[in-house]
Amino acid sequence: MKYDILGVMVDNATMDEAVRDISRYFGSKEAHMVVTPNAEILLMCENDRELLQAISKASFVSADGVGVLKAAKILKTPLKEKVAGCDLGFNLLKEAAKGGHGVFLFGAKPGVAEAAAEKLCEKIPGLIISGTRDGYFKPGDDDEIVRQINESGADILWVCLGAPKQEKWMAENKDKLQVSVMLGLGGSLDVYAGNVKRAPKIMIKCKAEWLYRLIKEPWRFSRMIKIPRVVKLAKAELKRRQNNA
């Protein structure tokens, strides 16, 4: 089931349900988009029509962040749990390895995708990395990138360009790619390459990963303060819906 969270249709699913549903697309002849919006991306959609339209093309939209969960709860359509993109991607890679589906890693700085591929293969037995490419390219390079991905024979594509670039890129090239699943996963490659450390498991379990990241990367404060804005918008949207009921 999908819920309208400030104009973005978000899947109400647990991590296990998300992995189950998305892995069903493996091997499909159609490219299925998977996006993982947080509060910042919800706010981007408020003024970026192209981004909102790109996300609307996604087969699966997971709630990646406490801001999305807070907004959903205010709107009286509570979501089951946070489905973080980094964790979702890793779990899907394990499923891909079981089925022998090749994966292409696209994004981040030069050398990061290769480092991530090496570490991921150490952690996930049987994982097939069909190819890698960094995220530095010009607008006119799209056809060459699509050709490289298609020729790799990959069935699954990670697009780690950051929002809104990755969502728009996937939507624009969706019909040209010969993959079954595309995942927009932001900075996940840096995490798996070991360049960025995630919060301790206890903090993640207590939903305090945002605090850890803020301490480690103070520049994220400008992003964090957008959560209250999302809450404010959700309250206004609830009032509007109640008035129109």
Side-chain angles (χ1 to χ4, degrees), residues 66-161:
V66 295
V68 182
L69 297 184
K70 285 181 179 294
K73 188 173 182 179
I74 290 170
L75 291 168
K76 301 187 184 303
T77 52
L79 298 168
K80 294 177 180 178
E81 66 181 26
K82 171 184 173 181
V83 180
C86 191
D87 295 326
L88 176 61
F90 187 78
N91 289 332
L92 286 170
L93 288 181
K94 290 192 290 186
E95 293 301 311
K98 292 176 185 177
H101 301 281
V103 182
F104 194 103
L105 306 180
F106 171 36
K109 295 180 180 179
V112 173
E114 290 83 355
E118 183 176 348
K119 290 185 179 297
L120 285 167
C121 286
E122 291 174 359
K123 293 179 179 180
I124 305 175
L127 179 63
I128 302 170
I129 299 297
S130 301
T132 62
R133 183 183 177 112
D134 66 61
Y136 288 72
F137 60 95
K138 302 183 294 295
D141 294 338
D142 281 358
D143 287 344
E144 169 57 23
I145 295 171
V146 169
R147 182 194 63 76
Q148 182 181 353
I149 295 168
N150 287 342
E151 289 185 356
S152 76
D155 188 44
I156 301 161
L157 170 65
W158 274 22
V159 183
C160 303
L161 305 175

Side-chain angles (χ1 to χ4, degrees), residues 163-180:
K165 187 174 182 179
Q166 62 193 16
E167 290 79 11
K168 293 179 180 180
W169 192 91
M170 288 190 293
E172 184 176 346
N173 294 284
K174 181 176 181 291
D175 295 333
K176 295 184 288 185
L177 287 160
Q178 297 169 9
V179 296
S180 64

Side-chain angles (χ1 to χ4, degrees), residues 14-74:
T14 64
M15 176 64 75
D16 289 343
E17 290 169 344
V19 172
R20 178 199 65 199
D21 292 347
I22 297 169
S23 61
R24 287 173 177 168
Y25 300 137
F26 291 176
S28 169
K29 293 183 179 180
E30 176 187 354
H32 294 269
M33 281 177 56
V34 177
V35 296
T36 59
N38 54 19
E40 185 179 15
I41 295 176
L42 289 185
L43 290 181
M44 287 182 188
C45 290
E46 186 181 12
N47 299 307
D48 191 334
R49 212 65 181 157
E50 185 182 353
L51 173 60
L52 182 59
Q53 290 176 348
I55 291 177
S56 71
K57 295 181 180 181
S59 298
F60 197 96
V61 180
S62 73
D64 185 358
V66 295
V68 182
L69 297 184
K70 285 181 179 294
K73 188 173 182 179
I74 290 170

